[in-house]
């Protein structure tokens, strides 16, 4: 009949991926948050599945808090913008 059941669409959008850790970070240009991105390792996946995500995409993750503890100068930059 060609009609899409909305429950089928919704079921595909509910997957949640868990971050295992943040592997590294880099700036594209000037060292400001809008230019900051992170390499994220997903729980249960190897490094071939790592993703590059912006600060805004991960700013509320516990994995970022852990990563920033290991990178104090980056933590200061992020803390200025979190408050």
């Amino acid at each position: 009949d060609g009609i899409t059941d909305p429950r089928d669409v919704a079921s595909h959008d509910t997957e949640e991926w868990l971050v295992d850790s943040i592997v590294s970070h880099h700036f594209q240009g000037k060292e400001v948050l809008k230019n900051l991105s992170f390499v994220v390792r997903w729980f249960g996946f190897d490094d071939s599945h790592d993703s590059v995500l912006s600060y805004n995409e991960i700013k509320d993750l516990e994995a970022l808090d852990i990563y920033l503890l290991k990178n104090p100068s980056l933590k200061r930059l992020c803390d200025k913008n979190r408050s």
Side-chain angles (χ1 to χ4, degrees), residues 19-35:
V19 172
D20 181 58
S21 63
I22 296 172
V23 178
S24 63
H25 71 278
H26 60 274
F27 291 93
Q28 290 283 48
K30 190 174 177 183
E31 290 191 5
V32 294
L33 287 184
K34 71 178 183 176
N35 296 335

Side-chain angles (χ1 to χ4, degrees), residues 38-69:
F38 296 86
V39 177
V40 173
R41 174 113 354 114
W42 301 103
F43 181 77
F45 293 89
D46 64 24
D47 62 353
S48 68
H49 295 280
D50 288 357
S51 299
V52 177
L53 300 176
S54 71
Y55 170 77
N56 282 333
E57 293 174 291
I58 67 164
K59 65 184 178 185
D60 297 321
L61 297 181
E62 181 180 1
L64 178 60
D65 295 333
I66 293 167
Y67 185 80
L68 292 177
L69 289 174

